[in-house]
């Protein structure tokens, strides 16, 4: 597989997935209403990547704003990663970086929802 790289803009985050290191980073803000088109390449890439057992994946989320629609997409990604992690196919670690009280609470909520996935909540 090749690396996945999506350039961020004012209303969408930068996405980078390194095939060699297993590092997925989403960095920026998400305000777009049409999230399906934005997240489809991420899902497709992740689906292909997770077909191989024994992978180690580190997800870094630095999202200073996330609308409710994009939050559902992040939940879907984390659900997929949690399934991969708990089925012992590979190891996954998530780093949620928070910018303020609201994004810290969102990280705590994610950790509670995906309690079988190691989610570290860290200040920026």
């Amino acid at each position: 597989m090749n690396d996945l790289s999506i350039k961020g803009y004012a209303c969408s985050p930068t996405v980078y997935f390194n095939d060699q290191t297993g590092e997925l980073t989403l960095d920026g803000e998400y305000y777009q209403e049409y999230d399906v088109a934005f997240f489809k390449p991420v899902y497709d890439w992740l689906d292909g990547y997770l077909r191989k057992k024994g992978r180690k994946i580190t997800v870094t989320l630095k999202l200073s704003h996330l609308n409710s629609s994009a939050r559902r997409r992040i939940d879907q990604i984390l659900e997929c990663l949690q399934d991969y992690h708990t089925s012992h196919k590979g190891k996954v670690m998530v780093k949620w970086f928070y910018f303020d009280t609201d994004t810290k609470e969102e990280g705590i909520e994610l950790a509670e929802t995906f309690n079988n996935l190691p989610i570290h909540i860290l200040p920026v």
Side-chain angles (χ1 to χ4, degrees):
M1 291 188 79
N2 295 324
D3 294 348
L4 173 66
S5 182
I6 302 171
K7 182 178 166 65
Y9 294 96
C11 60
S12 63
T14 297
V15 177
Y16 184 69
F17 205 145
N18 185 312
D19 178 55
Q20 297 300 311
T21 64
E23 294 178 39
L24 167 62
T25 301
L26 282 87
D27 188 356
E29 301 177 330
Y30 195 90
Y31 289 99
Q32 292 184 9
E33 290 183 31
Y34 305 106
D35 60 332
V36 174
F38 178 83
F39 281 99
K40 184 173 181 352
V42 178
Y43 293 142
D44 291 348
W45 202 98
L46 190 60
D47 181 56
Y49 190 78
L50 296 180
R51 289 183 186 187
K52 184 176 178 183
K53 291 182 180 181
R55 300 227 190 230
K56 184 178 176 184
I57 303 165
T58 302
V59 180
T60 300
L61 300 170
K62 291 183 179 178
L63 300 166
S64 58
H65 177 81
L66 194 62
N67 66 21
S68 59
S69 183
R71 167 61 196 270
R72 285 191 300 275
R73 303 295 174 213
I74 295 296
D75 285 356
Q76 290 171 337
I77 289 169
L78 293 179
E79 184 176 344
C80 180
L81 291 169
Q82 181 172 259
D83 290 346
Y84 185 77
H85 183 76
T86 58
S87 67
H88 304 290
K89 292 180 182 173
K91 295 187 180 208
V92 179
M93 180 179 64
V94 177
K95 295 187 240 178
W96 175 270
F97 286 88
Y98 63 88
F99 296 81
D100 54 28
T101 304
D102 290 339
T103 55
K104 183 177 183 178
E105 287 175 10
E106 192 154 16
I108 291 168
E109 190 178 298
L110 284 172
E112 290 171 352
T113 301
F114 300 98
N115 58 0
N116 291 317
L117 192 60
I119 298 178
H120 304 276
I121 302 162
L122 307 163
V124 173

